[in-house]
Amino acid sequence: MRYRRAAAWLSIAVLALGATVCVGWLFGIPALQQLHPSLTSMKLNTAVALVLLAAALRLSLMRSASLARVRIGAGLATAIAAAALLEDALGVNLGIDELVRVDP
């Protein structure tokens, strides 16, 4: 029971973190795009994957949740990670980072 409670709180924290970074990217607020001023900004695809994984974890903790929804969230996050890995490994640009472009 203690682990379920910890997982529930952590899923909320990760969801909030990912959503905050997404808001930073959507509205062009650099301070919301990074965890700390001395660190580089988090990529949008990473933030979206965090939101999807946190939502999937939260859903998996609910007794009434559909397993299909949990798998869809985790599968989408895995697809984002696989595409980013392919970009780095093959040196190609799939345009993942340019899906949301904010011009100042």
Side-chain angles (χ1 to χ4, degrees):
M1 184 65 178
R2 187 181 303 167
Y3 294 121
R4 290 179 70 81
R5 192 174 309 131
W9 281 107
L10 289 172
S11 68
I12 292 170
V14 171
L15 184 71
L17 171 72
T20 300
V21 173
C22 287
V23 167
W25 276 105
L26 292 174
F27 294 106
I29 306 170
L32 295 181
Q33 297 172 7
Q34 50 195 147
L35 300 176
H36 190 273
S38 66
L39 300 174
T40 61
S41 61
M42 184 184 296
K43 290 185 176 184
L44 179 62
N45 55 346
T46 303
V48 170
L50 283 176
V51 168
L52 289 169
L53 288 172
L57 175 60
R58 187 74 177 137
L59 279 173
S60 72
L61 296 171
M62 297 178 179
R63 296 183 196 272
S64 62
S66 165
L67 185 58
R69 289 183 180 166
V70 173
R71 288 181 177 167
I72 288 171
L76 287 173
T78 303
I80 291 170
L85 181 64
L86 279 175
E87 278 187 334
D88 290 341
L90 301 178
V92 297
N93 185 7
L94 300 176
I96 296 172
D97 297 333
E98 292 87 25
L99 289 177
V100 175
R101 183 177 173 159
V102 180
D103 290 326

